[in-house]
Amino acid sequence: MQTIAAKDITAPTYVHFQVVRQGMLRVMTEILTSEGFEVRDSTNDFAAFTIEVLGPPERTSSWTTFSLANDPMH
């Protein structure tokens, strides 16, 4: 943890963090776009390493029709 505090971006811990972060952002983007959402990398400097959802799907999807009333777990 000291290497990250010292801003050593070559430290194995930091390199691993970057790989995981990039992978998670890619997967979230793929899931959302596959369901019809419009997404992009954040353009907000204060929200770096995030994605922005610009719009809902134009079609009905499992994400937009889900209701807790129909969820057997609730």
Side-chain angles (χ1 to χ4, degrees), residues 7-53:
K7 299 184 181 182
D8 179 8
I9 61 171
T10 62
T13 304
Y14 187 75
V15 171
H16 178 72
F17 164 74
Q18 292 289 15
V19 169
V20 171
R21 181 189 59 78
Q22 290 171 352
M24 292 294 291
L25 289 174
R26 188 186 78 250
V27 168
M28 287 188 296
T29 299
E30 289 176 11
I31 290 170
L32 290 168
T33 55
S34 74
E35 287 296 321
F37 288 88
E38 184 180 354
V39 298
R40 70 174 179 203
D41 290 336
S42 179
T43 58
N44 182 343
D45 291 341
F46 294 105
F49 314 121
T50 61
I51 56 175
E52 297 175 355
V53 178

Side-chain angles (χ1 to χ4, degrees), residues 5 13 31 47 50-51 58 63-64 67 70:
T13 304
I31 290 170
T50 61
I51 56 175
E58 292 183 13
W63 291 77
T64 58
S67 169
N70 299 327

